[in-house]
Amino acid sequence: MATEGSTKAVVTAMLANLGIAVTKFVAFLLTASSSMLAEAVHSVADTSNQALLLLGGKRAKRAATPEHPFGYGRERYVYGFIVSIVLFTLGGLFALYEAWHKWADPHPIDSWHWVPIVVLLVSIVLEGMALRTAMIESNRSRGTRSWARFIRTAKAPELPVILLEDLGALCGLVFALIGVTLTLVTGDGRWDAAGTAMIGLLLIVIAVVLAVEMKSLLIGESAGREHQAAIAKALPGDGVESVIHLRTLHLGPEELLVAAKIAISSSATGADIAAAIDAAEQRVRTAVPIARVIYLEPDVFQTEAR
């Protein structure tokens, strides 16, 4: 996944959410709608989350040190996990609290009736544009994978996070629009509270999905099936008879560690083995450019087996 594409999608979403957050807060101050307050806080959470993703991407570019010899690439996953926590607490739990508070003390929207409708409709358009940008950038690396599989298997956290956040924002805006509209029609503020509760539940579900995916990346995931197959195919040749076993690990979204035990002829000299390993490393890096760190262990396993 191209880092440039991820950055473009994150910046687009952040600017859109910043503007939306301001208009939603103004709408809340004019109408006292709990749905508008929940949506405003949701937009603030999304804006801060996108800033965290940009910060994580910047910090991940630091050079390796003796204490961190494999670099800081996985720091992007740390910030992705923080995003899920912020979305759960600042977005989901706050919306549920506001819904409970409004349900206990329901009140209609007495003034500026048109403001929340206009703000929500404009927000839907802006969020739709941000989601469209994220989808375009994602399609460049998604390939034939479904959207669900892309979110599940993507090694870079930014685009899956933005996709889920923007999709959640659109759904939340629809819930808010329904709640506000029914409150205006019926004069019953509990519809507003119900819309707010739906927003809270939606954000909690998205936050849990993000947390599960970021946890998997933090623990350490292997290369995708396509990369593993390409590496296994590239290793044999020029002195390497076959691959005995292969292990891969993502040190970051664009950095892969490859460790393999390879079968070498029992008649090979030390110089032959060294040349075979160098050639195998070159083939792997050509086939999978993100294979930055490669460790190959020669063995005569298959020769002895014969």
Side-chain angles (χ1 to χ4, degrees):
M1 180 180 299
T3 303
E4 292 78 6
S6 301
T7 301
K8 179 180 178 181
V10 173
V11 171
T12 300
M14 184 175 68
L15 294 177
N17 280 308
L18 182 60
I20 291 171
V22 174
T23 57
K24 287 177 181 176
F25 272 119
V26 172
F28 163 71
L29 293 175
L30 293 175
T31 64
S33 167
S34 64
S35 291
M36 293 308 305
L37 178 58
E39 275 298 307
V41 174
H42 177 193
S43 293
V44 170
D46 282 351
T47 303
S48 63
N49 285 343
Q50 283 126 29
L52 285 171
L53 291 176
L54 290 175
L55 177 61
K58 181 178 180 180
R59 292 181 60 84
K61 294 178 181 178
R62 290 178 294 167
T65 65
E67 292 79 15
H68 298 88
F70 292 112
Y72 293 84
R74 292 170 77 175
E75 193 154 357
R76 288 165 68 178
Y77 303 148
V78 174
Y79 281 86
F81 190 79
I82 294 174
V83 162
S84 68
I85 297 174
V86 172
L87 194 62
F88 183 86
T89 54
L90 187 58
L93 293 184
F94 178 84
L96 290 180
Y97 167 77
E98 184 61 25
W100 172 80
H101 185 269
K102 185 64 177 285
W103 188 273
D105 182 24
H107 53 79
I109 300 175
D110 298 321
S111 58
W112 300 92
H113 302 87
W114 56 272
V115 170
I117 300 297
V118 171
V119 169
L120 289 171
L121 290 175
V122 172
S123 298
I124 288 174
V125 173
L126 293 176
E127 287 288 1
M129 293 173 61
L131 178 60
R132 180 176 178 272
T133 299
M135 292 177 67
I136 291 174
E137 298 300 330
S138 298
N139 277 331
R140 295 177 179 176
S141 57
R142 184 169 67 95
T144 58
R145 289 175 290 177
S146 65
W147 286 108
R149 180 164 178 77
F150 171 70
I151 291 173
R152 174 64 187 88
T153 60
K155 304 304 180 182
E158 290 84 5
L159 285 179
V161 169
I162 295 300
L163 283 169
L164 286 176
E165 281 193 344
D166 287 349
L167 180 61
L170 276 176
C171 294
L173 288 167
V174 172
F175 293 152
L177 183 61
I178 293 173
V180 168
T181 300
L182 290 175
T183 296
L184 291 173
V185 171
T186 65
D188 188 349
R190 286 178 294 183
W191 286 111
D192 194 16
T196 306
M198 291 297 295
I199 294 170
L201 291 174
L202 174 67
L203 294 181
I204 287 176
V205 170
I206 292 176
V208 170
V209 171
L210 284 177
V212 170
E213 295 306 317
M214 291 305 110
K215 174 190 173 185
S216 179
L217 290 168
L218 276 171
I219 293 173
E221 289 190 357
S222 64
R225 294 177 182 175
E226 297 83 359
H227 281 168
Q228 289 195 55
I231 293 170
K233 182 178 179 181
L235 281 171
D238 293 337
V240 179
E241 295 185 359
S242 64
V243 179
I244 298 173
H245 67 70
L246 172 67
R247 300 290 185 270
T248 59
L249 177 68
H250 268 275
L251 302 175
E254 286 91 29
E255 188 170 7
L256 189 65
L257 182 149
V258 178
K261 178 175 284 190
I262 54 178
I264 302 292
S265 172
S266 58
S267 61
T269 65
D272 293 336
I273 294 173
I277 290 176
D278 290 341
E281 289 180 353
Q282 183 59 46
R283 290 194 300 273
V284 169
R285 290 192 173 96
T286 300
V288 182
I290 66 171
R292 307 286 177 81
V293 183
I294 303 175
Y295 296 111
L296 302 180
E297 178 186 354
D299 203 316
V300 292
F301 175 79
Q302 286 194 340
T303 302
E304 290 179 349
R306 288 197 295 268

Coordinates of all heavy atoms in Angstrom, one line a residue, residues 189-232:
G189 N -38.6 14.4 22.3 CA -37.2 14.4 22.3 C -36.6 13.1 22.4 O -35.3 12.9 22.2
R190 N -37.4 12.0 22.7 CA -36.8 10.7 22.9 C -36.4 10.1 21.5 O -35.5 9.2 21.5 CB -37.8 9.8 23.5 CG -38.0 10.0 25.0 CD -39.0 9.2 25.7 NE -40.4 9.5 25.2 CZ -41.5 8.9 25.6 NH1 -41.4 8.0 26.6 NH2 -42.6 9.3 25.1
W191 N -36.9 10.6 20.4 CA -36.4 10.2 19.1 C -35.0 10.7 18.9 O -34.1 10.0 18.4 CB -37.3 10.7 18.0 CG -38.6 10.0 17.9 CD1 -39.9 10.5 18.2 CD2 -38.8 8.7 17.4 NE1 -40.8 9.5 17.9 CE2 -40.2 8.4 17.5 CE3 -38.0 7.6 17.0 CZ2 -40.8 7.2 17.1 CZ3 -38.5 6.4 16.7 CH2 -39.9 6.2 16.7
D192 N -34.7 11.9 19.4 CA -33.4 12.4 19.3 C -32.4 11.6 20.2 O -31.3 11.3 19.8 CB -33.4 13.9 19.9 CG -32.1 14.6 19.5 OD1 -31.3 14.2 18.7 OD2 -31.9 15.7 20.1
A193 N -32.9 11.1 21.4 CA -32.1 10.3 22.2 C -31.8 8.9 21.6 O -30.7 8.4 21.7 CB -32.8 10.1 23.6
A194 N -32.8 8.4 20.9 CA -32.7 7.1 20.2 C -31.6 7.2 19.1 O -30.8 6.3 19.0 CB -34.0 6.6 19.7
G195 N -31.7 8.3 18.3 CA -30.7 8.5 17.3 C -29.3 8.6 17.9 O -28.3 8.0 17.3
T196 N -29.2 9.2 19.0 CA -27.9 9.4 19.7 C -27.4 8.0 20.2 O -26.2 7.7 20.1 CB -28.0 10.3 20.9 OG1 -28.6 11.6 20.5 CG2 -26.6 10.6 21.5
A197 N -28.3 7.2 20.7 CA -27.9 5.8 21.2 C -27.4 5.0 20.0 O -26.4 4.2 20.2 CB -29.1 5.2 21.9
M198 N -28.1 5.1 18.9 CA -27.6 4.3 17.7 C -26.2 4.7 17.3 O -25.4 3.9 16.9 CB -28.6 4.5 16.6 CG -30.0 3.8 16.8 SD -29.9 2.0 17.0 CE -29.3 1.6 15.4
I199 N -26.0 6.0 17.3 CA -24.6 6.5 17.0 C -23.6 5.9 17.9 O -22.5 5.4 17.5 CB -24.6 8.0 17.1 CG1 -25.5 8.7 16.0 CG2 -23.1 8.6 16.9 CD1 -25.7 10.1 16.1
G200 N -23.9 5.9 19.2 CA -23.0 5.4 20.2 C -22.7 3.9 20.0 O -21.5 3.4 20.1
L201 N -23.7 3.1 19.8 CA -23.5 1.7 19.6 C -22.7 1.4 18.3 O -21.9 0.5 18.3 CB -24.9 1.0 19.5 CG -25.7 0.9 20.8 CD1 -27.1 0.4 20.5 CD2 -25.0 0.1 21.8
L202 N -23.0 2.2 17.2 CA -22.2 2.0 16.0 C -20.8 2.3 16.2 O -19.9 1.5 15.8 CB -22.8 3.0 14.9 CG -22.0 3.1 13.6 CD1 -22.2 1.8 12.9 CD2 -22.6 4.2 12.8
L203 N -20.5 3.4 16.9 CA -19.0 3.7 17.2 C -18.3 2.7 18.0 O -17.2 2.4 17.8 CB -19.0 5.1 17.8 CG -19.4 6.3 17.0 CD1 -19.3 7.6 17.8 CD2 -18.7 6.3 15.7
I204 N -19.0 2.1 19.0 CA -18.4 1.1 19.8 C -18.1 -0.2 19.0 O -17.0 -0.8 19.1 CB -19.3 0.7 21.0 CG1 -19.3 1.9 22.0 CG2 -18.9 -0.6 21.6 CD1 -20.3 1.7 23.2
V205 N -19.0 -0.6 18.1 CA -18.8 -1.7 17.2 C -17.6 -1.5 16.3 O -16.7 -2.3 16.2 CB -20.0 -2.0 16.3 CG1 -19.7 -3.1 15.3 CG2 -21.2 -2.5 17.2
I206 N -17.5 -0.3 15.7 CA -16.3 0.0 14.8 C -15.0 0.0 15.6 O -14.0 -0.5 15.2 CB -16.6 1.4 14.1 CG1 -17.7 1.3 13.1 CG2 -15.3 1.9 13.4 CD1 -18.1 2.6 12.5
A207 N -15.1 0.6 16.9 CA -13.9 0.7 17.7 C -13.4 -0.7 18.1 O -12.2 -1.0 18.1 CB -14.2 1.5 19.0
V208 N -14.3 -1.6 18.3 CA -13.9 -3.0 18.7 C -13.3 -3.7 17.5 O -12.3 -4.4 17.6 CB -15.2 -3.8 19.2 CG1 -14.8 -5.3 19.3 CG2 -15.6 -3.3 20.5
V209 N -13.9 -3.5 16.3 CA -13.3 -4.1 15.1 C -11.9 -3.6 14.8 O -11.0 -4.3 14.6 CB -14.2 -3.8 13.8 CG1 -13.5 -4.2 12.6 CG2 -15.5 -4.5 14.0
L210 N -11.7 -2.3 15.0 CA -10.4 -1.7 14.8 C -9.4 -2.2 15.8 O -8.2 -2.5 15.5 CB -10.5 -0.1 14.9 CG -11.1 0.6 13.7 CD1 -11.1 2.1 14.0 CD2 -10.2 0.3 12.5
A211 N -9.8 -2.3 17.1 CA -9.0 -2.8 18.1 C -8.5 -4.2 17.9 O -7.3 -4.5 18.0 CB -9.7 -2.7 19.5
V212 N -9.4 -5.1 17.4 CA -9.0 -6.5 17.1 C -8.0 -6.5 16.0 O -7.0 -7.2 16.0 CB -10.3 -7.3 16.7 CG1 -9.9 -8.6 16.2 CG2 -11.2 -7.4 17.9
E213 N -8.2 -5.7 14.9 CA -7.3 -5.7 13.8 C -5.9 -5.1 14.1 O -4.9 -5.7 13.8 CB -7.9 -4.9 12.6 CG -9.2 -5.5 12.0 CD -9.0 -7.0 11.6 OE1 -7.9 -7.3 11.0 OE2 -9.8 -7.8 11.9
M214 N -5.9 -4.0 14.9 CA -4.7 -3.4 15.3 C -3.9 -4.3 16.3 O -2.7 -4.4 16.2 CB -4.9 -2.1 15.9 CG -5.4 -1.0 15.0 SD -4.4 -0.8 13.5 CE -5.4 -1.4 12.2
K215 N -4.6 -5.0 17.1 CA -4.0 -6.0 18.0 C -3.2 -7.1 17.3 O -2.1 -7.4 17.6 CB -5.0 -6.6 19.0 CG -4.4 -7.7 19.9 CD -5.5 -8.4 20.6 CE -4.9 -9.6 21.4 NZ -6.0 -10.5 22.0
S216 N -3.9 -7.6 16.2 CA -3.3 -8.6 15.4 C -2.0 -8.1 14.7 O -1.0 -8.8 14.7 CB -4.3 -9.1 14.3 OG -3.7 -10.1 13.5
L217 N -2.0 -6.9 14.2 CA -0.8 -6.3 13.6 C 0.3 -6.0 14.6 O 1.4 -6.2 14.4 CB -1.2 -5.0 12.9 CG -2.1 -5.2 11.6 CD1 -2.6 -3.8 11.2 CD2 -1.3 -5.9 10.5
L218 N -0.1 -5.6 15.8 CA 0.9 -5.3 16.9 C 1.6 -6.6 17.3 O 2.8 -6.6 17.5 CB 0.2 -4.7 18.1 CG 0.0 -3.2 18.0 CD1 -0.9 -2.7 19.2 CD2 1.3 -2.4 18.0
I219 N 0.8 -7.7 17.4 CA 1.4 -9.0 17.8 C 2.4 -9.4 16.8 O 3.5 -10.0 17.1 CB 0.3 -10.0 18.1 CG1 -0.5 -9.7 19.3 CG2 0.9 -11.4 18.2 CD1 -1.7 -10.6 19.5
G220 N 2.1 -9.2 15.5 CA 3.0 -9.6 14.4 C 2.3 -10.5 13.4 O 1.9 -11.6 13.8
E221 N 2.1 -10.0 12.2 CA 1.4 -10.8 11.2 C 2.5 -11.2 10.1 O 3.4 -10.5 9.8 CB 0.3 -10.1 10.5 CG -0.9 -9.9 11.4 CD -2.1 -9.4 10.7 OE1 -2.0 -9.0 9.5 OE2 -3.2 -9.2 11.3
S222 N 2.2 -12.3 9.5 CA 3.1 -12.8 8.4 C 2.7 -12.0 7.1 O 1.8 -11.3 7.1 CB 2.9 -14.3 8.2 OG 1.6 -14.5 7.7
A223 N 3.5 -12.2 6.1 CA 3.2 -11.6 4.8 C 2.0 -12.2 4.2 O 1.5 -13.3 4.6 CB 4.4 -11.9 3.8
G224 N 1.3 -11.5 3.3 CA 0.1 -12.0 2.7 C 0.4 -13.2 1.8 O 1.6 -13.6 1.5
R225 N -0.6 -13.9 1.4 CA -0.4 -15.2 0.7 C 0.3 -15.0 -0.6 O 1.2 -15.8 -1.0 CB -1.8 -15.8 0.4 CG -2.6 -16.3 1.6 CD -3.9 -16.8 1.3 NE -4.7 -17.2 2.4 CZ -6.0 -17.6 2.4 NH1 -6.6 -17.7 1.2 NH2 -6.6 -18.0 3.5
E226 N 0.0 -13.8 -1.3 CA 0.7 -13.6 -2.6 C 2.2 -13.4 -2.4 O 3.0 -13.9 -3.1 CB 0.1 -12.3 -3.2 CG -1.4 -12.5 -3.6 CD -2.3 -12.2 -2.4 OE1 -1.8 -11.9 -1.3 OE2 -3.5 -12.3 -2.6
H227 N 2.6 -12.6 -1.3 CA 4.0 -12.4 -1.0 C 4.7 -13.7 -0.6 O 5.8 -13.9 -1.0 CB 4.2 -11.3 0.0 CG 4.0 -9.9 -0.6 ND1 3.8 -8.8 0.2 CD2 3.9 -9.5 -1.8 CE1 3.7 -7.7 -0.5 NE2 3.7 -8.1 -1.8
Q228 N 4.0 -14.5 0.2 CA 4.6 -15.7 0.7 C 4.9 -16.7 -0.5 O 5.9 -17.3 -0.6 CB 3.7 -16.4 1.7 CG 3.7 -15.7 3.0 CD 3.1 -16.6 4.1 OE1 3.6 -17.7 4.4 NE2 2.1 -16.1 4.8
A229 N 3.9 -16.7 -1.4 CA 4.1 -17.6 -2.6 C 5.2 -17.0 -3.5 O 6.0 -17.8 -4.0 CB 2.8 -17.6 -3.4
A230 N 5.3 -15.7 -3.6 CA 6.4 -15.1 -4.5 C 7.7 -15.4 -3.9 O 8.7 -15.7 -4.6 CB 6.1 -13.6 -4.6
I231 N 7.8 -15.3 -2.6 CA 9.1 -15.6 -1.9 C 9.5 -17.0 -2.0 O 10.7 -17.4 -2.4 CB 9.1 -15.2 -0.4 CG1 8.9 -13.7 -0.3 CG2 10.3 -15.6 0.3 CD1 8.6 -13.2 1.1
A232 N 8.6 -17.9 -1.8 CA 8.8 -19.4 -1.9 C 9.3 -19.7 -3.3 O 10.1 -20.6 -3.5 CB 7.6 -20.2 -1.5

